[in-house]
Amino acid sequence: LWTGVKVAFGACVVALAVVFVTGGIFACLLGNYLQEDVIPNADFDTDNFQLDQSSFIYFVDDNQEIQEMQQIYADVDRVWASYEDIPEDLVHAAVAIEDKRFFQHQGVDWFTTTKACVNMFLGGSSTFGGSTITQQLIKNLTGNDDVTVRRKVLEIFCALQFEEQYTKEEVMEWYLNTIFLGEGCAGVRSAARVYFGKDVSDLTTAECASLIGITNNPSRYDPYISDYTKEQNKQRQEIILNEMLEQGYITQAEHDAAVAEELVFVGRGQGTTSTTAYSYFEDQLIRDVIADLKETYDISDQLASQMVYNGGLSIYCTQDPAIQAKVDAVYEDLSNFSGTSSSGQQLQSGITVIDNETGNVVALAGGVGEKTASLLTNRATQSLRQPGSAIKPLAVYAPALDLGVITPATVIDDSPYSFDGDGGSPWPVNSYGYYSGLTNVYTGLQKSVNTLAVKILGQYTSPQVAYDFLVKNLGFSTDHLVVQEERNGTVYSDIGLAQMALGGLTDGVTTLEMAAAYSTFPRGGLYIEPRTYTKVERVDPDTGEVTVLLDNQAEYHTAMKDSTAWYINTMLQNVIKNGTGTSANFSGMTIAGKTGTTTSRRDLYFVGYSAYYTAAVWSGYDQPERMSSGLQQQSAVTWKKVMSSIHEGLEDKSFPTPSAGTVTVQV
């Protein structure tokens, strides 16, 4: 017996020794592990995380008040909400269902953590569980959700360290701005707009509980997915309201009222400014801001795009929504563009409208019919098409008048400039099919006589003078006009008689360039570079400090003498009254303009203006084809529909007269 007792005692001693030695070794290993692997990686600072935030486009209304027009975001729709803007019920709903001891613990709830660990070691769930709101925030920010002991231990230490640096309010603010709430929404402010069509600060108790309920499992509780998920959202909401009642956050009466309140989900696009497709104006605005950020800060296209879509920018645009609506009324109605080509192409068109006083682009359309996607080809600002005779006032008549080598009374022979080919074919030919002999400049522009334009360019100025005038004076892009370039063995240049006098350019120009150039005339010779925005700002969500990233001040210069502009205004009024532009004429407003038709009617242009606005219209097919004779005045008719609507109710206003005064004589 005594021998057995000694053996048992010895075994116990050995066992205890093994336990102590093993425990010591484990403690040393754990200490080294924590010291070398966990603690160095537990430093966690929100300054290290730049969260994606939605940007917004704003416009100035008739009362000079800033209004929101559109929200921009890529994959994540997030608008930061400060803690002061978040309803108390929303905070309490999150705490009640996600972390009931949030206000008592220091980042880790040891009771639930211990319970989760015991459950795991006893063969229960291996997902650990027991995460506090602080731990969830860390997981959301790092994106690390590995199911490992190391990740959980590191998360615990991060949470403890995090709450030493930040207050409970700061933790909650970051948490409610990072949780995913379905429909692409990250954070409660975007979700409040998408689900309830209101700002987060205006949410009711019932809506707060419904919103917090989604984050547990958006695919199950997003009310927009199906009737089933809508019912599930309601059930989850009531569970949260019950928890809020039991934990003393709301009274029984408040609970009952919230349960009884009908949840009205507005649907994305209703009560919010988010849409599935940006407008043509918004497309161009986004492109302009990206290009200017890239140039100003010497950054890549990708980084500039990220700043626009995810940088939380405030972009102040130049659009006038009332004018844009009138453009859209014409361009979205396909009955205004009924001219299918022989190959089945839809007749297309683009338009740019500029405010003459400011030079701002106030409206544009880059295609006809309903726009179904963002960043489509914009026929107003991207498509390069030949302007035909619409180039004549810009490249031929304005430079010659400005140099003083012609006046409207100058007489030039309407006869061939040259004879091409072996058979001696006369060139150029006129649209009316014959030559009229001696013709003054005034009549030549009225009838769009090709021979006069070519002779002015060839005998009074030069193609180089015309090219320089377009680029240096009237803002045309050297990326669009070709000086000299070889393509497939053929050398092309826009510095030539046919190109500059008749608009037969190698590639072409945009309606934006044409509208900006023509707007110089009603402005008395002052060119203002067109713009789609005035400034871009970014607000620091923590400090509220505003940084101006782009200050897009209007750039302008004198492009021609005011007498030159007056001559052009006088002659182009006659074009609309008695010449090729009569289809654009409407009563009650002083207007001027010029048609443009290219070879085989592949492109139709009309650019015209009042003292108030200038608009350039192109019509044609995306793959150039000859248009029927019935479409000859398509661009002029479209211009008239848009501009007559824009000018409704405006007082008739004449064009400016030269500063030195004018004397009219009969010639």
Side-chain angles (χ1 to χ4, degrees):
L1 178 63
W2 177 244
T3 301
V5 171
K6 287 194 294 182
V7 170
F9 178 76
C12 289
V13 170
V14 172
L16 287 172
V18 170
V19 168
F20 281 117
V21 171
T22 303
I25 294 173
F26 177 77
C28 290
L29 291 175
L30 178 61
N32 289 334
Y33 171 68
L34 294 177
Q35 191 68 32
E36 296 177 6
D37 186 47
V38 175
I39 295 176
N41 294 309
D43 186 22
F44 195 84
D45 195 321
T46 57
D47 290 340
N48 298 327
F49 295 91
Q50 184 65 47
L51 297 179
D52 292 344
Q53 293 188 56
S54 301
S55 295
F56 285 89
I57 300 172
Y58 299 95
F59 70 94
V60 180
D61 65 15
D62 293 337
N63 297 320
Q64 299 303 304
E65 294 182 356
I66 296 174
Q67 304 290 345
E68 182 182 314
M69 186 171 80
Q70 180 62 281
Q71 183 178 355
I72 306 174
Y73 63 92
D75 299 322
V76 175
D77 178 2
R78 177 188 286 112
V79 183
W80 194 268
S82 64
Y83 189 81
E84 291 73 21
D85 294 333
I86 298 171
E88 192 176 56
D89 282 338
L90 193 59
V91 173
H92 292 159
V95 171
I97 197 66
E98 295 292 336
D99 185 5
K100 62 178 63 178
R101 280 176 284 276
F102 173 73
F103 292 109
Q104 287 77 47
H105 64 63
Q106 305 303 312
V108 178
D109 188 337
W110 293 111
F111 176 79
T112 55
T113 299
T114 302
K115 181 180 177 182
C117 289
V118 171
N119 181 53
M120 180 189 69
F121 285 117
L122 292 178
S125 171
S126 61
T127 59
F128 299 106
S131 292
T132 63
I133 282 177
T134 312
Q135 290 170 274
Q136 291 180 46
L137 170 60
I138 291 168
K139 185 168 64 175
N140 291 341
L141 289 176
T142 62
N144 188 352
D145 57 358
D146 296 337
V147 184
T148 63
V149 172
R150 181 186 183 279
R151 196 274 297 175
K152 192 65 179 180
V153 172
L154 182 59
E155 183 184 277
I156 288 172
F157 273 81
C158 283
L160 292 171
Q161 185 268 345
F162 190 76
E163 288 217 5
E164 288 182 1
Q165 291 182 266
Y166 297 95
T167 66
K168 289 292 184 181
E169 289 77 13
E170 290 172 324
V171 173
M172 183 58 69
E173 179 179 321
W174 272 79
Y175 173 75
L176 292 176
N177 279 287
T178 56
I179 54 176
F180 182 66
L181 291 159
E183 301 297 316
C185 297
V188 293
R189 172 154 272 162
S190 293
R193 293 164 58 87
V194 167
Y195 290 109
F196 299 110
K198 58 175 67 172
D199 188 74
V200 65
S201 60
D202 298 324
L203 292 177
T204 66
T205 303
E207 292 165 343
C208 288
S210 172
L211 208 61
I212 291 299
I214 298 172
T215 192
N216 178 263
N217 187 346
S219 63
R220 181 176 180 180
Y221 299 117
D222 178 347
Y224 290 155
I225 295 177
S226 66
D227 289 339
Y228 172 76
T229 58
K230 187 175 182 179
E231 293 174 2
Q232 290 293 301
N233 178 272
K234 178 60 178 174
Q235 293 178 17
R236 179 75 174 170
Q237 177 226 31
E238 293 186 8
I239 291 173
I240 294 173
L241 290 171
N242 289 339
E243 288 292 332
M244 293 175 71
L245 174 63
E246 290 182 11
Q247 295 174 40
Y249 292 122
I250 55 176
T251 65
Q252 185 67 53
E254 291 170 331
H255 168 273
D256 296 345
V259 170
E261 180 180 321
E262 180 184 2
L263 295 173
V264 179
F265 300 104
V266 298
R268 180 174 280 279
Q270 304 176 38
T272 81
T273 52
S274 300
T275 60
T276 55
Y278 302 129
S279 70
Y280 284 111
F281 183 97
E282 291 158 355
D283 281 353
Q284 186 58 36
L285 172 65
I286 290 170
R287 290 186 176 106
D288 288 345
V289 173
I290 289 173
D292 289 349
L293 285 171
K294 178 183 176 183
E295 180 181 358
T296 302
Y297 295 98
D298 192 22
I299 56 178
S300 66
D301 279 323
Q302 181 179 5
L303 182 55
S305 296
Q306 289 175 352
M307 289 178 68
V308 170
Y309 287 102
N310 304 318
L313 307 185
S314 296
I315 303 170
Y316 299 89
C317 77
T318 61
Q319 187 190 85
D320 184 325
I323 294 178
Q324 184 66 59
K326 293 182 177 183
V327 170
D328 293 340
V330 174
Y331 270 76
E332 291 178 0
D333 185 351
L334 287 178
S335 67
N336 292 320
F337 303 92
S338 55
T340 305
S341 74
S342 58
S343 64
Q345 290 190 78
Q346 166 66 48
L347 180 65
Q348 278 294 347
S349 185
I351 184 174
T352 299
V353 183
I354 285 179
D355 183 324
N356 293 337
E357 182 178 353
T358 62
N360 292 339
V361 178
V362 291
L364 61 79
V368 304
E370 181 183 0
K371 189 171 185 287
T372 57
S374 297
L375 299 178
L376 299 175
T377 297
N378 194 323
R379 298 168 185 84
T381 60
Q382 291 182 300
S383 296
L384 299 178
R385 302 301 287 257
Q386 294 183 352
S389 293
I391 201 74
K392 292 175 181 176
L394 305 173
V396 178
Y397 292 97
L401 288 165
D402 213 51
L403 290 171
V405 296
I406 66 169
T407 73
T410 300
V411 175
I412 300 173
D413 192 8
D414 175 10
S415 62
Y417 178 81
S418 63
F419 293 87
D420 294 339
D422 296 335
S425 300
W427 182 86
V429 296
N430 293 315
S431 60
Y432 43 82
Y434 58 88
Y435 301 102
S436 300
L438 297 179
T439 306
N440 60 40
V441 167
Y442 184 83
T443 304
L445 186 52
Q446 171 191 323
K447 297 171 63 177
S448 196
V449 180
N450 289 336
T451 55
L452 263 66
V454 169
K455 287 184 176 182
I456 291 171
L457 197 63
Q459 298 171 355
Y460 291 81
T461 59
S462 72
Q464 185 67 57
V465 167
Y467 177 89
D468 291 342
F469 197 83
L470 291 179
V471 172
K472 296 177 182 179
N473 294 45
L474 297 178
F476 282 86
S477 172
T478 53
D479 292 334
H480 300 165
L481 298 179
V482 177
V483 175
Q484 185 170 319
E485 185 176 326
E486 182 178 342
R487 300 179 184 178
N488 299 320
T490 302
V491 177
Y492 294 89
S493 175
D494 285 335
I495 305 176
L497 291 175
Q499 299 91 315
M500 289 289 105
L502 306 179
L505 302 173
T506 304
D507 296 319
V509 292
T510 66
T511 67
L512 176 63
E513 290 174 305
M514 293 293 282
Y518 265 79
S519 69
T520 305
F521 300 137
R523 220 179 275 125
L526 184 69
Y527 175 84
I528 302 178
E529 185 174 341
R531 56 181 182 169
T532 55
Y533 74 94
T534 58
K535 65 178 176 178
V536 177
E537 297 177 340
R538 180 166 56 195
V539 180
D540 188 307
D542 295 325
T543 65
E545 181 181 354
V546 178
T547 302
V548 178
L549 299 179
L550 296 172
D551 187 8
N552 194 19
Q553 296 284 344
E555 297 183 6
Y556 53 88
H557 61 262
T558 299
M560 64 190 74
K561 301 171 185 174
D562 57 359
S563 58
T564 299
W566 184 82
Y567 277 137
I568 294 291
N569 292 336
T570 302
M571 291 192 287
L572 292 188
Q573 287 180 73
N574 186 47
V575 169
I576 282 189
K577 291 177 182 177
N578 305 304
T580 59
T582 55
S583 295
N585 198 13
F586 61 88
S587 62
M589 186 61 58
T590 300
I591 53 178
K594 183 69 182 74
T595 54
T597 306
T598 62
T599 304
S600 301
R601 280 195 299 273
R602 290 179 171 230
D603 298 284
L604 298 173
Y605 247 100
F606 188 85
V607 191
Y609 53 88
S610 68
Y612 296 100
Y613 300 103
T614 298
V617 176
W618 165 85
S619 301
Y621 299 112
D622 286 338
Q623 299 300 318
E625 288 188 51
R626 182 184 181 90
M627 283 177 271
S628 68
S629 58
L631 294 175
Q632 179 71 45
Q633 297 298 321
Q634 175 67 41
S635 289
V637 171
T638 301
W639 185 92
K640 176 181 178 178
K641 289 178 179 178
V642 171
M643 291 290 272
S644 61
S645 177
I646 289 174
H647 287 81
E648 286 179 359
L650 292 179
E651 182 182 353
D652 189 11
K653 188 176 180 181
S654 59
F655 299 120
T657 56
S659 56
T662 58
V663 176
T664 302
V665 296
Q666 190 71 26
V667 177

